PDB file of all heavy atoms in Angstrom:
ATOM      1  N   ASP A  86      -0.299   4.523 -17.742  1.00 96.00           N
ATOM      2  CA  ASP A  86      -0.300   4.601 -16.282  1.00 96.00           C
ATOM      3  C   ASP A  86       0.294   5.936 -15.875  1.00 96.00           C
ATOM      4  O   ASP A  86       1.310   6.370 -16.441  1.00 96.00           O
ATOM      5  CB  ASP A  86       0.533   3.465 -15.672  1.00 96.00           C
ATOM      6  CG  ASP A  86      -0.087   2.100 -15.915  1.00 96.00           C
ATOM      7  OD1 ASP A  86      -1.331   2.011 -16.001  1.00 96.00           O
ATOM      8  OD2 ASP A  86       0.676   1.124 -16.023  1.00 96.00           O
ATOM      9  N   TYR A  87      -0.309   6.575 -14.893  1.00 97.00           N
ATOM     10  CA  TYR A  87       0.156   7.878 -14.423  1.00 97.00           C
ATOM     11  C   TYR A  87       0.516   7.783 -12.937  1.00 97.00           C
ATOM     12  O   TYR A  87      -0.243   7.215 -12.148  1.00 97.00           O
ATOM     13  CB  TYR A  87      -0.929   8.940 -14.643  1.00 97.00           C
ATOM     14  CG  TYR A  87      -1.140   9.236 -16.108  1.00 97.00           C
ATOM     15  CD1 TYR A  87      -1.972   8.434 -16.884  1.00 97.00           C
ATOM     16  CD2 TYR A  87      -0.480  10.296 -16.730  1.00 97.00           C
ATOM     17  CE1 TYR A  87      -2.136   8.681 -18.238  1.00 97.00           C
ATOM     18  CE2 TYR A  87      -0.638  10.552 -18.079  1.00 97.00           C
ATOM     19  CZ  TYR A  87      -1.473   9.741 -18.829  1.00 97.00           C
ATOM     20  OH  TYR A  87      -1.633   9.978 -20.174  1.00 97.00           O
ATOM     21  N   TYR A  88       1.679   8.341 -12.603  1.00 97.00           N
ATOM     22  CA  TYR A  88       2.175   8.278 -11.236  1.00 97.00           C
ATOM     23  C   TYR A  88       2.477   9.672 -10.698  1.00 97.00           C
ATOM     24  O   TYR A  88       3.103  10.482 -11.391  1.00 97.00           O
ATOM     25  CB  TYR A  88       3.476   7.465 -11.166  1.00 97.00           C
ATOM     26  CG  TYR A  88       3.327   6.013 -11.493  1.00 97.00           C
ATOM     27  CD1 TYR A  88       3.427   5.567 -12.807  1.00 97.00           C
ATOM     28  CD2 TYR A  88       3.085   5.077 -10.496  1.00 97.00           C
ATOM     29  CE1 TYR A  88       3.289   4.231 -13.116  1.00 97.00           C
ATOM     30  CE2 TYR A  88       2.948   3.727 -10.791  1.00 97.00           C
ATOM     31  CZ  TYR A  88       3.040   3.313 -12.102  1.00 97.00           C
ATOM     32  OH  TYR A  88       2.898   1.984 -12.404  1.00 97.00           O
ATOM     33  N   CYS A  89       2.071   9.908  -9.466  1.00 98.00           N
ATOM     34  CA  CYS A  89       2.542  11.093  -8.768  1.00 98.00           C
ATOM     35  C   CYS A  89       3.775  10.699  -7.951  1.00 98.00           C
ATOM     36  O   CYS A  89       3.984   9.513  -7.657  1.00 98.00           O
ATOM     37  CB  CYS A  89       1.467  11.674  -7.860  1.00 98.00           C
ATOM     38  SG  CYS A  89       0.864  10.546  -6.570  1.00 98.00           S
ATOM     39  N   ALA A  90       4.590  11.686  -7.624  1.00 98.00           N
ATOM     40  CA  ALA A  90       5.791  11.426  -6.827  1.00 98.00           C
ATOM     41  C   ALA A  90       6.179  12.688  -6.075  1.00 98.00           C
ATOM     42  O   ALA A  90       5.967  13.805  -6.554  1.00 98.00           O
ATOM     43  CB  ALA A  90       6.945  10.973  -7.719  1.00 98.00           C
ATOM     44  N   THR A  91       6.750  12.497  -4.903  1.00 97.00           N
ATOM     45  CA  THR A  91       7.212  13.627  -4.123  1.00 97.00           C
ATOM     46  C   THR A  91       8.217  13.152  -3.084  1.00 97.00           C
ATOM     47  O   THR A  91       8.367  11.952  -2.859  1.00 97.00           O
ATOM     48  CB  THR A  91       6.034  14.347  -3.436  1.00 97.00           C
ATOM     49  OG1 THR A  91       6.508  15.553  -2.817  1.00 97.00           O
ATOM     50  CG2 THR A  91       5.411  13.465  -2.357  1.00 97.00           C
ATOM     51  N   TRP A  92       8.885  14.103  -2.435  1.00 96.00           N
ATOM     52  CA  TRP A  92       9.804  13.775  -1.367  1.00 96.00           C
ATOM     53  C   TRP A  92       9.029  13.648  -0.060  1.00 96.00           C
ATOM     54  O   TRP A  92       8.055  14.372   0.165  1.00 96.00           O
ATOM     55  CB  TRP A  92      10.857  14.889  -1.243  1.00 96.00           C
ATOM     56  CG  TRP A  92      11.867  14.636  -0.172  1.00 96.00           C
ATOM     57  CD1 TRP A  92      11.888  15.129   1.102  1.00 96.00           C
ATOM     58  CD2 TRP A  92      13.026  13.810  -0.278  1.00 96.00           C
ATOM     59  NE1 TRP A  92      12.972  14.664   1.788  1.00 96.00           N
ATOM     60  CE2 TRP A  92      13.693  13.853   0.966  1.00 96.00           C
ATOM     61  CE3 TRP A  92      13.570  13.038  -1.315  1.00 96.00           C
ATOM     62  CZ2 TRP A  92      14.875  13.153   1.202  1.00 96.00           C
ATOM     63  CZ3 TRP A  92      14.744  12.340  -1.080  1.00 96.00           C
ATOM     64  CH2 TRP A  92      15.382  12.399   0.167  1.00 96.00           C
ATOM     65  N   ASP A  93       9.461  12.727   0.800  1.00 95.00           N
ATOM     66  CA  ASP A  93       8.848  12.602   2.110  1.00 95.00           C
ATOM     67  C   ASP A  93       9.889  12.977   3.178  1.00 95.00           C
ATOM     68  O   ASP A  93      10.955  12.366   3.257  1.00 95.00           O
ATOM     69  CB  ASP A  93       8.336  11.185   2.348  1.00 95.00           C
ATOM     70  CG  ASP A  93       7.513  11.092   3.623  1.00 95.00           C
ATOM     71  OD1 ASP A  93       8.116  11.101   4.718  1.00 95.00           O
ATOM     72  OD2 ASP A  93       6.277  11.028   3.538  1.00 95.00           O
ATOM     73  N   ASP A  94       9.555  13.969   4.000  1.00 95.00           N
ATOM     74  CA  ASP A  94      10.506  14.472   4.995  1.00 95.00           C
ATOM     75  C   ASP A  94      10.741  13.472   6.127  1.00 95.00           C
ATOM     76  O   ASP A  94      11.796  13.473   6.755  1.00 95.00           O
ATOM     77  CB  ASP A  94       9.991  15.787   5.588  1.00 95.00           C
ATOM     78  CG  ASP A  94       9.945  16.893   4.560  1.00 95.00           C
ATOM     79  OD1 ASP A  94      10.740  16.849   3.578  1.00 95.00           O
ATOM     80  OD2 ASP A  94       9.113  17.813   4.702  1.00 95.00           O
ATOM     81  N   ASP A  95       9.774  12.632   6.407  1.00 94.00           N
ATOM     82  CA  ASP A  95       9.929  11.655   7.492  1.00 94.00           C
ATOM     83  C   ASP A  95      10.707  10.426   7.022  1.00 94.00           C
ATOM     84  O   ASP A  95      11.547   9.894   7.743  1.00 94.00           O
ATOM     85  CB  ASP A  95       8.560  11.217   8.015  1.00 94.00           C
ATOM     86  CG  ASP A  95       7.855  12.322   8.783  1.00 94.00           C
ATOM     87  OD1 ASP A  95       8.533  13.302   9.176  1.00 94.00           O
ATOM     88  OD2 ASP A  95       6.637  12.223   8.983  1.00 94.00           O
ATOM     89  N   LEU A  96      10.418   9.976   5.826  1.00 92.00           N
ATOM     90  CA  LEU A  96      11.077   8.788   5.289  1.00 92.00           C
ATOM     91  C   LEU A  96      12.404   9.124   4.610  1.00 92.00           C
ATOM     92  O   LEU A  96      13.193   8.223   4.290  1.00 92.00           O
ATOM     93  CB  LEU A  96      10.155   8.086   4.296  1.00 92.00           C
ATOM     94  CG  LEU A  96       8.844   7.545   4.869  1.00 92.00           C
ATOM     95  CD1 LEU A  96       7.962   6.977   3.765  1.00 92.00           C
ATOM     96  CD2 LEU A  96       9.128   6.476   5.925  1.00 92.00           C
ATOM     97  N   HIS A  97      12.643  10.431   4.385  1.00 93.00           N
ATOM     98  CA  HIS A  97      13.887  10.877   3.730  1.00 93.00           C
ATOM     99  C   HIS A  97      14.094  10.173   2.397  1.00 93.00           C
ATOM    100  O   HIS A  97      15.194   9.671   2.097  1.00 93.00           O
ATOM    101  CB  HIS A  97      15.091  10.635   4.649  1.00 93.00           C
ATOM    102  CG  HIS A  97      14.965  11.294   5.983  1.00 93.00           C
ATOM    103  ND1 HIS A  97      15.038  12.657   6.169  1.00 93.00           N
ATOM    104  CD2 HIS A  97      14.729  10.766   7.206  1.00 93.00           C
ATOM    105  CE1 HIS A  97      14.865  12.936   7.443  1.00 93.00           C
ATOM    106  NE2 HIS A  97      14.670  11.812   8.103  1.00 93.00           N
TER     107      HIS A  97
END
Side-chain angles (χ1 to χ4, degrees):
Chain A
D86 293 329
Y87 291 84
Y88 294 88
C89 59
T91 187
W92 181 262
D93 188 285
D94 294 333
D95 290 344
L96 297 175
H97 303 289

